[in-house]
């Protein structure tokens, strides 16, 4: 999506930074990276030191440099916006600093002496890996139990292929595991292959980071018709495909939803060769989960976005042939209502991208032990659940904004809290 900066351009871009006191970009970063600090090190050609400044706060600083919506985080807060309407390109500078670490396999961290404590991490996505790495650095033994065959979570199976090319997700996972002290058990799922009770008995603490296991349905008839697909599964297949020629691509694609996943699948379909791609969202552009930048990115990639319409019927012959929509509007109290007016779009592929939810069967009998809200786990500021030895983070907790960087921060905060719990009185 964004080609890396060559050295000359990185130095020019680094020179645009004002090195603000109490830098607003750092405050806006969910992981609190010292942004002026790492940019200053780029200026003095200390690229390794710059990478250390980034990765000590955000162990997935490499992936975040590729996938973070910087336009609503650090770059939105950059004071250069006030003077020039153009922030310092923090995302690309972060990538410039961190790429050599993975290319040259440089290990920047060391493990503390063995604490003799064992922690179970359920889920090997950004939250789980971040927690596991920090715990390993602090000297604890970690076992990651992961449902899928590869680690990385949605970095590996969910994020659009054009954002993270050349198998970067696995390169980053391997680098994280190189710290040592982390055992991985793949294809092992909580709720199927192991129970929370077993983990609590065998380990000194547990961190839950299993993400969101199921996708929301439209709630319409014919959702199982040929050509009606769920966007998350399609992207997972695409990300794992050796040969993209094998993937069926629609000619006229309709995407229902308004978040990042809707944008990703729409742009991805266009790049795979679909002739017409239309996103339909039930509210206006300001209410879309996708940022304005992402909306513009889709539009300049040839995608049409239609607002204020909700799907009411999937039109089906031997496979899906179109979608009927009803116009929507806000009533006087600001509530979304239908106007009763309908219109249709032809489609040979319809993607559902209307959000995900926590899989309800993960806890089995332990479900009642946790306080939950909206199907997600409630945690305190340390990411501790209502069970004293169980922490949780990433997409599966309530209040999370479903970003990679937030999941990484949750894992880090939980690891620091678990370390305090494992060393009482120290
Ligand atoms: C299509 C799509 C595109 C996205 N694009 C972006 C983007 O561009 N930028 C961005 O910042 N964010 C993006 N996100 C969001 C981001 O990927 C997630 O917020 C982030 O991956 C959450 O991390 P996590 O560790 O909580 O969960 P996940 O990444 O979902 O990882 C969960 C892990 O838990 C494992 N697991 C699941 N169930 C069990 C179980 N029962 N037992 C054991 N293990 C289990 C899985 O195998 C997986 O490895 C996107 C999400 C989607 C769906
Ligand atoms: S806000 Fe912008 S100019 Fe100020 S320190 Fe951050 S990147 Fe540099």
């Amino acid at each position: 999506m964004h080609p890396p900066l060559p050295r000359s351009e990185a130095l020019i871009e680094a020179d645009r930074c004002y090195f603000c006191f109490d830098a607003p970009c750092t405050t806006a970063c969910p992981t609190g990276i010292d942004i002026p600090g790492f940019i200053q090190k780029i200026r003095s050609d200390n690229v390794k030191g710059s990478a250390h400044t980034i990765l000590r706060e955000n162990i997935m600083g490499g992936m975040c440099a590729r996938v973070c919506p910087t336009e609503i985080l650090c770059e939105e807060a950059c004071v250069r916006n006030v003077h020039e309407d153009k922030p310092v390109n923090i995302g690309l500078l972060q990538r410039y600093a961190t790429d050599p670490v993975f290319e040259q396999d440089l290990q920047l961290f060391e493990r503390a002496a063995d604490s003799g404590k064992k922690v179970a991490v359920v889920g090997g996505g950004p939250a789980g890996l971040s927690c596991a790495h920090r715990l390993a650095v602090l000297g604890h033994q970690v076992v990651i139990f992961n449902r899928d065959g590869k680690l990385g979570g949605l970095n590996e199976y969910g994020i659009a292929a054009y954002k993270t090319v050349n198998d970067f997700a696995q390169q980053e996972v391997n680098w994280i595991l190189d710290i040592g002290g982390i055992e991985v058990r793949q294809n092992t799922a909580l709720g199927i292959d192991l129970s929370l009770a077993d983990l609590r008995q065998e380990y000194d603490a547990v961190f839950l980071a299993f993400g969101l296991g199921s996708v929301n349905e439209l709630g319409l008839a014919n959702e199982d018709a040929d050509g009606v697909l769920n966007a998350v599964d399609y992207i997972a297949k695409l990300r794992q495909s050796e040969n993209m020629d094998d993937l069926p691509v629609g000619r006229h694609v309709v995407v229902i939803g308004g978040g990042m996943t809707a944008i990703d699948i729409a742009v991805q379909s266009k790049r795979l060769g679909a002739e017409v791609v239309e996103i339909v969202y039930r509210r206006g552009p300001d209410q879309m989960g996708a940022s304005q930048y992402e909306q513009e990115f889709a539009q300049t990639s040839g995608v049409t976005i239609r607002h204020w319409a909700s799907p009411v019927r999937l039109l089906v012959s031997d496979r899906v042939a179109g979608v009927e929509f009803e116009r929507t509007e806000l009533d006087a109290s600001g509530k979304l209502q239908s106007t009763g007016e309908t219109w249709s779009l032809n489609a040979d592929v319809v993607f559902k991208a209307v959000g995900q939810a926590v899989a309800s069967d993960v806890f089995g009998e332990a479900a009642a032990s946790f306080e939950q809200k909206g199907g997600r786990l409630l945690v305190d500021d340390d990411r501790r659940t209502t069970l004293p030895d169980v922490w949780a983070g990433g997409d599966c907790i309530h209040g999370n904004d479903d970003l990679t960087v937030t999941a990484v921060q949750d894992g880090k905060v939980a690891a620091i809290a678990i370390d305090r719990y494992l060393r009482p009185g120290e």
Side-chain angles (χ1 to χ4, degrees):
M1 191 170 169
H2 304 291
L5 290 178
R7 179 173 174 275
S8 56
E9 284 177 35
L11 291 177
I12 292 169
E13 193 58 26
D15 260 342
R16 292 185 61 234
C17 181
Y18 291 137
F19 305 104
C20 308
F21 179 70
D22 265 351
C25 51
T26 290
T27 310
C29 172
T31 55
I33 293 172
D34 173 7
I35 292 171
F38 92 71
I39 295 179
Q40 181 63 274
K41 290 185 178 116
I42 291 178
R43 275 179 88 211
S44 53
D45 242 351
N46 176 6
V47 179
K48 190 171 169 185
S50 179
H52 185 265
T53 301
I54 296 164
L55 296 168
R56 73 175 181 223
E57 293 302 340
N58 178 346
I59 200 65
M60 290 200 155
M63 183 58 83
C64 288
R66 290 159 170 76
V67 306
C68 255
T70 49
E71 68 280 0
I72 55 165
L73 298 171
C74 53
E75 290 179 16
E76 184 182 53
C78 176
V79 296
R80 273 275 179 188
N81 285 310
V82 181
H83 300 143
E84 291 176 349
D85 215 17
K86 189 174 178 291
V88 174
N89 198 332
I90 300 166
L92 277 185
L93 286 175
Q94 181 163 314
R95 176 153 178 204
Y96 173 79
T98 51
D99 269 358
V101 170
F102 306 103
E103 284 160 10
Q104 297 162 30
D105 203 10
L106 303 173
Q107 191 49 255
L108 303 180
F109 302 96
E110 265 178 36
R111 293 194 68 203
D114 190 359
S115 68
K117 303 286 183 186
K118 276 199 318 184
V119 182
V121 170
V122 179
L129 286 165
S130 161
C131 185
H133 185 273
R134 184 57 69 109
L135 286 168
V137 167
L138 291 166
H140 308 297
Q141 288 291 333
V142 183
V143 180
I144 300 180
F145 299 91
N146 195 49
R147 180 199 59 197
D148 296 324
K150 286 185 185 176
L151 290 180
L154 290 168
N155 284 356
E156 174 60 37
Y157 293 97
I159 283 171
Y162 56 83
K163 288 186 186 168
T164 165
V165 297
N166 300 333
D167 209 17
F168 180 74
Q170 286 313 299
Q171 222 180 322
E172 186 173 58
V173 165
N174 293 338
W175 179 81
I176 287 174
L177 295 181
D178 272 354
I179 188 74
I182 305 174
E183 184 193 334
V184 180
R185 301 202 195 149
Q186 307 278 33
N187 303 306
T188 312
L190 180 67
I192 298 173
D193 307 300
L194 42 105
S195 74
L196 189 61
D198 295 341
L199 292 179
R200 292 182 71 197
Q201 198 163 21
E202 202 179 324
Y203 294 86
D204 298 296
V206 179
F207 179 64
L208 300 174
F210 41 71
L212 298 169
S214 69
V215 289
N216 295 334
E217 300 292 336
L218 298 173
L220 301 177
N222 297 321
E223 276 191 53
D224 54 356
D226 267 1
V228 181
L229 306 173
N230 116 40
V232 175
D233 287 352
Y234 185 88
I235 294 176
K237 208 184 274 176
L238 171 76
R239 288 289 307 275
Q240 301 307 309
S241 172
E242 299 269 307
N243 178 7
M244 299 211 188
D245 289 352
D246 294 344
L247 280 169
V249 181
R251 189 167 283 226
H252 191 151
V253 174
V254 168
V255 178
I256 298 169
M260 210 181 250
T261 305
I263 300 286
D264 281 0
I265 192 65
V267 173
Q268 192 76 79
S269 297
K270 199 74 194 146
R271 290 183 178 213
L272 286 168
E275 281 170 22
V276 180
V277 182
E278 299 176 272
I279 294 177
V280 185
Y281 178 56
R282 63 194 172 130
R283 295 173 188 266
D286 294 343
Q287 291 85 35
M288 283 181 83
S291 68
Q292 199 189 336
Y293 170 82
E294 286 169 318
Q295 294 176 44
E296 282 171 17
F297 177 66
Q299 286 161 329
T300 53
S301 302
V303 173
T304 302
I305 306 181
R306 297 172 185 270
H307 299 104
W308 301 110
S310 193
V312 286
R313 208 150 61 91
L314 291 164
L315 309 171
V316 172
S317 50
D318 56 332
R319 57 175 288 124
V320 73
V323 189
E324 186 177 297
F325 294 92
E326 214 165 47
R327 282 201 196 288
T328 52
E329 61 180 12
L330 297 181
D331 68 12
S333 67
K335 218 172 130 212
L336 194 71
Q337 65 176 14
S338 165
T339 64
E341 188 191 339
T342 59
W343 53 277
S344 305
L345 286 177
N346 292 335
D348 56 359
V349 169
V350 174
F351 280 115
K352 299 183 275 185
V354 288
Q356 293 178 271
V358 172
S360 52
D361 53 354
V362 174
F363 300 118
E365 286 170 7
S369 325
F370 291 102
E371 270 189 58
Q372 299 174 34
K373 198 169 176 188
R376 303 199 196 194
L377 299 171
L378 279 180
V379 293
D380 66 12
D381 287 349
D382 283 339
R383 313 303 189 265
R384 194 181 209 161
T385 68
T386 32
L387 295 176
D389 53 343
V390 182
W391 281 255
D395 286 358
C396 67
I397 64 170
H398 178 71
N400 185 285
D401 57 8
D402 296 352
L403 292 178
T404 303
V405 66
T406 314
V408 173
Q409 175 70 356
D410 286 343
K412 180 179 88 182
V413 169
I416 294 167
I418 291 171
D419 180 62
R420 273 199 308 270
Y421 166 79
L422 296 178
R423 302 177 198 269
E426 273 186 39

